[in-house]
Amino acid sequence: MGFISLLRKPDYVYGATEKSDVRFEENDNGVDCPIKYTYSVEGDSAKIIVCPGGSPVKYLKFRFCGDLSFVDKVYGDQFERQSFKGYLEWRSVMGSRILPWFCYLTGNDSMACYGVKTGCNCFAMFQVDTHGVTLFLNLCNGNDGTDLQEPIIACEVVESFGETGEDEYSLAKAFSKKMCDAPVLPKEPVFGTNNWYWAYSDISFESVLEEANYLKEMTYGCVHKPYLIIDDGWQKERIAGRGRYIGGEWEPNERFRDMRKTADEIIGRNLKAGLWFRPLLTRNELPEGVALAYYDMGIAMDPSHPYTLEKVESDARKIRSWGYSVIKHDFSTLDTTGVVLTSERHDAYLCKNGYKFFDKTKTTAMIIKDLYKAIQRGAGDADVIGCNTIGHLAAGIHSIQRTGNDSSGRTFEWTRRHSVNAVMRLPMNKTFFMVDPDCAAFTEKVSADINLDFLEMCAITGMTTLASVTPGILKDGEMKRINEIYKIADKANCEYGIKNYSKTANPEIFVSEDKTKIREFDWSKAFHGARIVLDD
């Protein structure tokens, strides 16, 4: 349909090492790339292999030329979960726009998909303009080059082209399968509650038991066991307010006393227990070389250091031993890089200036994957939810991924902006992992009706169906509807997709897999449009 292929020799290749001019992209075309690499096309993919050289490697840029003047829209994702600094959306062609991991192009009534397979050993990003496609690889170790000791497969490039008039959502779903060879998925449906958005850390052993009793009532008649996930607020060292601290040590505070007993009480009510933790933040004294960054409220441990990997694995193993069958780990991207990773940065720097890792021989991407693997080893057979984590690196390691920024129990506007927008990643659901767009939040400040709509959308699409529900808040009709929604999630056979995928960034119309049923939602009815002033 006129789209160009990336499964061929690139037209131009540029590279940068520690010894290169930082403005390497402006070199004359005749200058040899200083990085030893191969771009090897085999079958339906191209592997990029990077080898050790005379200087630590930083960047590679591959340019594929061709006429793309007919392209009218481009979809771009984000490096990690969707955030208020970067939305998941279709836009017009913009050559400088960074498109992390993959992108979709539409034109001539057809669609092209370009991407890299999950589990990369680098950060990969695309750029699209009217004259071609650029693939840019960040091979850095923090802000420095990586002193590779052996060749690595930096990434594997894949592409797909749709037929004229082919459904864009279906093509995106198929392409997600192509990007992820071996997804890890939960063995059972994931539905139930997380107490963050009604309690905001003001929790105790007693409040959790009250919530557990309420969850039993909400899920009456379900075959599979619902989850009750305890979020931030249970840990010993937590400090609220000014100078707040939400890290380890991962032992219970005086309001809980015994996390094993807490799990036993939840499990005894025929529910599954889940627990949140922030693996990299501590206030402990650390061995030399372990501290990566110092905050006012604690220390971020270096995820490349063996001590850190042993510590996070041990902490996850302890949580699993208490009886928690889902473990949610949070803030690891921020604690590893020092920044919120978003395509809106418009640059190739993915770590805060000055960040230097203990292990200089691995790229930042490799270091992050090692962290995820350590947590999963400790978690054992428990499902792990990655929150403030990088989906393209977590796929194949963790079974659940928070794809959106926080929803809210204070105003539905945050839920609409973040969690509804995160549903643009629905093609990843059960192809990468189970997608978690975050919770429907039932409080006195937010309409139950619109949150029930949000929860129903989660259930019919097969995503996680999690809610934060203030105990006792639901009226009779609302209790009846939430029970019906949880029963839909419990059956785990609903696979509605997005209708008109390329025409929205807040999906409202969903169509069943067999195309016989349509369900439509109105996310603007809460404020008759989008709210601008977001004070509580």
Side-chain angles (χ1 to χ4, degrees):
M1 304 301 169
F3 294 108
I4 63 177
S5 175
L6 308 190
L7 303 187
R8 60 175 175 83
K9 181 181 178 181
D11 294 291
Y12 303 103
V13 180
Y14 302 100
T17 69
E18 286 281 10
K19 294 180 179 179
S20 301
D21 185 336
V22 72
R23 304 186 73 85
F24 72 99
E25 295 172 285
E26 297 176 4
N27 287 346
D28 292 336
N29 294 336
V31 174
D32 290 335
C33 176
I35 293 177
K36 296 180 181 180
Y37 76 93
T38 59
Y39 191 93
S40 177
V41 179
E42 297 179 9
D44 61 355
S45 70
K47 290 182 180 178
I48 301 175
I49 299 174
V50 179
C51 301
S55 178
V57 299
K58 297 189 77 172
Y59 308 118
L60 268 174
K61 174 180 172 179
F62 299 88
R63 176 64 173 175
F64 302 87
C65 298
D67 181 11
L68 293 178
S69 59
F70 64 92
V71 173
D72 49 35
K73 280 191 290 188
V74 177
Y75 174 87
D77 207 79
Q78 294 293 322
F79 285 112
E80 51 141 329
R81 68 180 186 179
Q82 177 270 5
S83 75
F84 61 88
K85 292 186 177 180
Y87 292 107
L88 310 168
E89 60 182 323
W90 294 82
R91 295 188 198 169
S92 59
V93 177
M94 182 179 184
S96 62
R97 183 187 177 197
I98 290 173
L99 308 165
W101 309 118
F102 66 93
C103 58
Y104 310 139
L105 286 61
T106 59
N108 290 343
D109 196 29
S110 60
M111 178 167 141
C113 307
Y114 302 115
V116 294
K117 286 193 175 184
T118 58
C120 298
N121 286 318
C122 66
F123 280 83
M125 57 203 87
F126 292 85
Q127 291 172 296
V128 175
D129 56 70
T130 57
H131 300 285
V133 176
T134 299
L135 171 58
F136 190 99
L137 307 185
N138 180 308
L139 296 154
C140 291
N141 174 278
N143 291 132
D144 298 330
T146 301
D147 187 14
L148 294 176
Q149 300 300 298
E150 58 185 13
I152 62 168
I153 300 175
C155 63
E156 188 171 354
V157 181
V158 288
E159 64 185 22
S160 287
F161 304 101
E163 300 294 332
T164 300
E166 186 173 353
D167 177 66
E168 291 152 350
Y169 176 81
S170 298
L171 185 59
K173 186 85 173 179
F175 188 63
S176 292
K177 291 180 181 178
K178 180 176 281 193
M179 283 191 286
C180 187
D181 291 331
V184 175
L185 300 174
K187 295 180 178 64
E188 294 185 350
V190 179
F191 64 97
T193 58
N194 174 303
N195 53 28
W196 177 253
Y197 296 106
W198 72 267
Y200 288 103
S201 81
D202 185 13
I203 55 176
S204 64
F205 175 76
E206 290 75 19
S207 74
V208 166
L209 297 194
E210 184 182 11
E211 189 177 3
N213 291 332
Y214 204 44
L215 178 58
K216 276 197 68 176
E217 186 179 351
M218 289 186 285
T219 55
Y220 177 79
C222 289
V223 175
H224 296 96
K225 295 178 182 179
Y227 279 101
L228 194 163
I229 301 171
I230 300 170
D231 215 284
D232 173 31
W234 65 271
Q235 68 273 30
K236 182 178 181 180
E237 298 292 335
R238 191 182 201 283
I239 300 172
R242 198 182 189 106
R244 62 194 291 265
Y245 175 78
I246 53 172
E249 280 292 297
W250 301 107
E251 296 291 343
N253 59 36
E254 68 281 356
R255 301 183 75 181
F256 281 87
R257 298 179 296 280
D258 187 335
M259 295 311 292
R260 188 188 300 274
K261 179 181 178 183
T262 304
D264 287 344
E265 290 286 349
I266 295 169
I267 295 166
R269 287 162 170 76
N270 206 33
L271 307 172
K272 290 184 178 181
L275 196 63
W276 169 100
F277 84 125
R278 181 175 181 171
L280 294 178
L281 188 64
T282 185
R283 300 177 76 195
N284 289 349
E285 287 189 21
L286 298 172
E288 185 177 352
V290 176
L292 177 65
Y294 291 89
Y295 303 150
D296 290 341
M297 73 292 196
I299 306 168
M301 295 185 290
D302 186 333
S304 77
H305 199 289
Y307 173 92
T308 304
L309 296 177
E310 291 174 10
K311 182 72 168 65
V312 299
E313 181 176 342
S314 174
D315 286 338
R317 183 176 293 110
K318 176 169 60 177
I319 291 170
R320 181 68 186 102
S321 73
W322 288 338
Y324 294 91
S325 52
V326 66
I327 298 173
K328 177 181 175 182
H329 75 94
D330 204 352
F331 288 98
S332 63
T333 303
L334 180 62
D335 289 340
T336 298
T337 67
V339 295
V340 175
L341 291 185
T342 165
S343 65
E344 303 304 303
R345 289 172 60 84
H346 288 294
D347 58 40
Y349 302 107
L350 299 174
C351 282
K352 188 176 180 180
N353 190 35
Y355 266 47
K356 296 180 182 295
F357 293 115
F358 173 81
D359 188 342
K360 309 294 185 185
T361 68
K362 295 181 178 180
T363 66
T364 303
M366 295 167 72
I367 289 167
I368 290 172
K369 286 196 303 178
D370 285 347
L371 172 67
Y372 297 166
K373 289 174 184 177
I375 293 170
Q376 190 65 62
R377 283 196 302 272
D381 61 350
D383 288 310
V384 173
I385 302 177
C387 183
N388 186 220
T389 51
I390 299 167
H392 226 76
L393 302 181
I397 301 173
H398 298 331
S399 58
I400 308 171
Q401 178 72 15
R402 257 286 295 279
T403 53
N405 203 345
D406 290 359
S407 58
S408 177
R410 296 176 175 131
T411 171
F412 187 78
E413 181 64 18
W414 285 125
T415 305
R416 189 187 66 81
R417 290 189 187 192
H418 297 160
S419 301
V420 176
N421 178 237
V423 180
M424 293 297 286
R425 283 175 165 161
L426 188 58
M428 298 178 183
N429 192 47
K430 300 178 183 176
T431 58
F432 279 26
F433 30 60
M434 180 172 276
V435 163
D436 174 22
D438 210 9
C439 303
F442 294 84
T443 69
E444 294 180 352
K445 294 186 176 182
V446 184
S447 161
D449 176 61
I450 200 164
N451 270 303
L452 287 164
D453 283 351
F454 178 80
L455 200 63
E456 181 183 340
M457 174 195 64
C458 294
I460 66 172
T461 55
M463 298 185 290
T464 63
T465 305
L466 298 171
S468 289
V469 187
T470 308
I473 198 170
L474 298 175
K475 299 174 183 176
D476 290 345
E478 295 162 352
M479 178 63 80
K480 182 175 183 294
R481 188 178 171 199
I482 203 169
N483 179 255
E484 292 170 349
I485 291 169
Y486 278 136
K487 285 179 178 177
I488 293 171
D490 178 46
K491 291 177 181 177
N493 59 2
C494 285
E495 297 292 343
Y496 277 64
I498 301 170
K499 188 176 176 60
N500 301 327
Y501 185 52
S502 69
K503 295 182 179 180
T504 180
N506 289 119
E508 292 188 328
I509 306 175
F510 297 84
V511 58
S512 61
E513 201 168 27
D514 62 7
K515 309 300 182 186
T516 62
K517 300 175 185 176
I518 289 180
R519 182 70 172 92
E520 187 169 355
F521 302 96
D522 178 4
W523 308 122
S524 299
K525 65 183 180 182
F527 306 110
H528 300 289
R531 189 176 178 188
I532 295 175
V533 180
L534 293 180
D535 294 337
D536 292 347

